[in-house]
Amino acid sequence: VDLRPWHEAGASEGQELGAALAQGVLYLRALEAHGVTLDEAFRVLSFIVPVDTDQFLGIAKLRALRRLWAKVAAACGIGSAPALIHAETSWRMLTRRDSHVNILRNTIAAFAAGVGGADTVTVLPFTHALGLPDAAARRLARNTSIVLMEEASLWRVADPAAGAGGYEALTEELAARAWALFQEIEGEGGLLASLSQGSLQARIAATAAARAKAVATRREPITGTSEFADLAEIAPVVLDAPEQTHPAAQDSAILPLVSRRIAEPFEALRARADAIRAATGQRPRVALVTLGALADHAARLAFTRNLFEAGGIEIAEESMLACLVGSDAAYAAEGAARAASLT
């Protein structure tokens, strides 16, 4: 039962789990229809679960999945059927720009997977969004997991989040949302019927659109991409191979799920700026003209610098384009005069 297509299409954690339950039940029915007993079916099924940088939700998602699958087993009359969970660091969270930050993202995700109780963990190389990772990137990915599991001994404690009020409440909330969605999908005739009607895709699309808006307005910042972009970065080495993608399975009767990384819109802006530099020898540039005292405009100056650099626009001392940066009071008092003086 692979949760990655739902995750990469933009689903929330609750939607991922609800879809996973529906997918698991679909497989159980198919196996039973082909002569496999439910006892055997529960033993052969496993889950692939992506985990991203939200440490708390990642831990709660894995814990909730175990509880939910046990609930499905109980409803099927199976006494004990623990979910076998393989966690993988999220492809959706990886960035092509300032990709070394992905090492930190992977570390947080792998930590959450270990604490959440994953049976096995795969850490994607930090250059995975750029192309085929080289030996050094692959080695670093393996060592991230080894250090966390063996040197930090995350595997030695079973469910270390148990009893912690915040984690327990989050786990229960996720489980409740996922079970409600699972029941809705079953009410629509099961997973295939829901997908054929486009109902599940519509739910996921609404969640993905809300997240995309939060990313676009930088309310959900991406370090190194939408915040603190490094225009002078040197791209890491990857092997000479096509860019790694995760295409969804296509079916002419079903609206496909599209895999997207959340950083892609900002990366497209940076790519356009790079194309201008390649054609003209210079990036798009803007001069930031400050108003008033430093204490009054410092925060807004940092915000504005991040905003322009996230789109690949270089901050320069002189430019044909200028942006006034100051407090609201400074804009009212001297903004018009300062703008006139620049022309």
Side-chain angles (χ1 to χ4, degrees):
V1 180
D2 194 344
L3 279 70
R4 290 175 298 183
W6 319 112
H7 177 80
E8 293 172 11
S12 67
E13 285 74 11
Q15 288 171 333
E16 290 177 42
L17 293 175
L21 293 180
Q23 189 176 348
V25 169
L26 175 69
Y27 291 167
L28 289 174
R29 289 171 177 150
L31 289 167
E32 190 177 33
H34 285 78
V36 179
T37 67
L38 281 178
D39 279 328
E40 294 172 318
F42 271 96
R43 284 199 297 271
V44 299
L45 283 183
S46 62
F47 296 83
I48 301 176
V49 183
V51 182
D52 61 19
T53 54
D54 194 321
Q55 172 185 315
F56 301 102
L57 276 174
I59 293 171
K61 179 164 68 172
L62 296 177
R63 299 180 77 242
L65 176 57
R66 291 193 182 280
R67 296 186 187 186
L68 290 164
W69 195 238
K71 189 173 182 178
V72 170
C76 294
I78 305 299
S80 177
L84 179 62
I85 298 176
H86 174 75
E88 181 178 279
T89 57
S90 167
W91 178 78
R92 183 179 79 183
M93 73 177 178
L94 297 181
T95 64
R96 294 172 61 88
R97 300 290 182 166
D98 206 357
S99 55
H100 284 89
V101 181
N102 291 332
I103 299 171
L104 303 178
R105 296 184 179 101
N106 282 338
T107 301
I108 294 171
F111 174 83
V115 174
D119 296 288
T120 54
V121 179
T122 292
V123 177
L124 297 180
F126 75 97
T127 58
H128 194 59
L130 288 166
L132 189 64
D134 66 0
R138 296 196 303 272
R139 181 173 182 270
L140 182 57
R142 290 194 302 272
N143 285 348
T144 299
S145 179
I146 291 169
V147 168
L148 285 170
M149 300 305 156
E150 298 298 333
E151 294 188 23
S153 298
L154 293 186
W155 66 272
R156 294 184 183 277
V157 180
D159 197 10
Y167 281 115
E168 293 291 1
L170 192 53
T171 301
E172 289 297 330
E173 182 181 353
L174 268 183
R177 290 184 180 182
W179 191 259
L181 176 59
F182 168 58
Q183 290 179 313
E184 289 180 24
I185 294 172
E186 288 295 292
E188 293 164 352
L191 181 62
L192 290 181
S194 180
L195 290 172
S196 297
Q197 299 161 16
S199 301
L200 183 54
Q201 296 95 317
R203 296 185 185 99
I204 293 174
T207 301
R211 178 179 288 110
K213 182 178 180 180
V215 170
T217 55
R218 297 161 66 214
R219 294 182 182 277
E220 185 175 322
I222 306 172
T223 303
T225 300
S226 67
E227 293 287 336
F228 310 110
D230 181 7
L231 299 187
E233 69 171 309
I234 298 175
V237 175
V238 294
L239 299 180
D240 185 15
E243 178 184 346
Q244 301 299 292
T245 58
H246 291 240
Q250 301 287 319
D251 189 313
S252 59
I254 294 177
L255 183 67
L257 298 167
V258 180
S259 288
R260 292 189 181 92
R261 290 177 299 103
I262 60 174
E264 287 180 9
F266 281 99
E267 292 170 352
L269 292 175
R270 290 282 296 276
R272 289 175 61 185
D274 288 348
I276 293 173
R277 182 182 62 174
T280 66
Q282 183 175 282
R283 292 181 178 278
R285 307 174 78 186
V286 62
L288 301 184
V289 180
T290 57
L291 305 176
L294 175 62
D296 294 330
H297 66 241
R300 193 163 285 181
L301 178 63
F303 174 89
T304 307
R305 176 181 290 274
N306 279 334
L307 175 65
F308 282 116
E309 290 183 341
I313 300 173
E314 184 179 355
I315 308 302
E317 292 294 329
E318 296 182 1
S319 172
M320 295 296 291
L321 178 66
C323 176
L324 298 183
V325 182
S327 64
D328 292 348
Y331 288 144
E334 57 180 301
R338 190 64 180 275
S341 69
L342 295 173
T343 61

